[in-house]
């Protein structure tokens, strides 16, 4: 069984922000073994969990979780009727340990009003700690924040939290993380 199927604890970043997602339909993109799909379902969200790996999807299946096998990087996939990133569809989106840059603006557009995108993956410099080390899979400094700034509907988004640097847990790595809300009121974005 591959590593991503063994890793079952939700990320601390996702655990922190998932409870802020309004109830509705959530997306776990490149879900792997489904650790975040299960977390979102346990919070009462209906979840669409997408991955190209059928074995991963078998491990992900559960109550409130619908699975979809799809290669998100196949040329022309955006025209596939099953393509999940439709505008305004989700109250929550989670992406962890996966990067396909053309999807970044579509992920933001796929948020419903008040919806939250929680994204966490490896960043440049991670090669010193192991894989991934291919620059295609490593975020440049500030890249997730830049994706929000570059979105044509920039003023619709509020960055609630952003981190970019070294982490020792769950293993030494360079990571970048963002939590972004679309719309919502000032009270929705209160920090405490
Ligand atoms: C490192 S795992 C992360 C899994 C999960 N997000 C997590 O953090 O536990 C990366 C996942 O991306 C999926 N993936 C990679 N390329 C993909 C593609 N082109 N389309 C859909 N899924 C893909 C893999 O099958 C794998 O499950």
């Amino acid at each position: 069984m591959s590593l991503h199927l063994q890793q079952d604890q939700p990320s601390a970043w996702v655990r922190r922000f998932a409870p802020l997602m309004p109830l509705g339909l959530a997306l776990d993109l490149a879900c792997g073994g489904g650790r975040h799909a299960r977390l979102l379902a346990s919070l009462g969200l209906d979840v669409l969990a997408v991955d190209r790996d059928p074995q991963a999807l078998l491990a992900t299946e559960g109550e409130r979780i619908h699975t979809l096998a799809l290669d998100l990087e196949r040329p022309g996939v955006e025209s596939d009727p099953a393509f999940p990133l439709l505008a305004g569809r989700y109250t929550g989106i989670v992406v962890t340990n996966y990067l396909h840059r053309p999807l970044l603006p579509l992920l933001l557009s796929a948020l419903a009003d008040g919806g939250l995108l929680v994204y966490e993956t490896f960043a440049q410099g991670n090669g010193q700690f192991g894989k991934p080390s291919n620059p295609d899979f490593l975020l440049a400094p500030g890249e997730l924040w830049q994706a929000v700034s570059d979105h044509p509907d920039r003023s619709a988004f509020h960055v609630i939290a952003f981190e970019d640097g070294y982490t020792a847990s769950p293993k030494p790595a360079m990571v970048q993380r963002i939590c972004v809300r679309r719309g919502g009121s000032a009270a929705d974005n209160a920090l405490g």
Side-chain angles (χ1 to χ4, degrees):
M1 187 175 277
S2 55
L3 185 61
H4 67 262
L5 294 184
Q6 293 170 24
Q7 187 179 23
D8 204 42
Q9 292 305 309
S11 127
W13 188 252
V14 178
R15 265 191 280 123
R16 176 175 165 194
F17 293 108
L20 304 183
M21 291 175 180
L23 287 183
L25 180 62
L27 174 68
D28 184 0
L29 197 80
C31 62
R35 58 186 177 136
H36 297 128
R38 281 188 290 283
L39 172 70
L40 299 174
S42 76
L43 293 169
L45 291 132
D46 294 310
V47 185
L48 176 61
V50 182
D51 204 284
R52 70 175 172 192
D53 179 351
Q55 208 193 340
L57 292 176
L58 274 178
T60 298
E61 281 174 3
E63 201 177 338
R64 289 188 173 278
I65 300 174
H66 303 269
T67 60
L68 170 66
L70 191 69
D71 181 350
L72 294 158
E73 298 171 30
R74 176 167 54 81
V77 69
E78 289 169 35
S79 316
D80 189 315
F83 187 67
L85 294 177
L86 303 181
R89 190 172 187 196
Y90 302 101
T91 59
I93 300 177
V94 170
V95 189
T96 57
N97 300 349
Y98 175 72
L99 179 62
H100 181 53
R101 291 182 166 85
L103 299 181
L104 291 173
L106 302 178
L107 284 161
L108 291 162
S109 298
L111 289 174
D113 189 43
L116 238 66
L117 170 64
V118 181
Y119 204 126
E120 174 181 56
T121 195
F122 298 95
Q124 282 178 9
N126 190 65
Q128 65 194 296
F129 304 112
K131 296 217 180 267
S133 55
N134 179 338
D136 289 350
F137 305 135
L138 300 178
L139 288 160
E143 189 172 351
L144 289 176
W145 188 296
Q146 192 64 45
V148 178
S149 300
D150 290 347
H151 192 279
D153 207 5
R154 165 64 184 109
S155 60
F157 298 103
H158 179 80
V159 175
I160 294 175
F162 177 78
E163 293 183 358
D164 193 358
Y166 171 78
T167 183
S169 172
K171 59 172 188 159
M174 298 297 288
V175 299
Q176 199 174 120
R177 314 159 160 144
I178 201 165
C179 176
V180 187
R181 188 187 295 280
R182 179 180 198 127
S185 66
D188 287 332
N189 294 323
L191 298 179

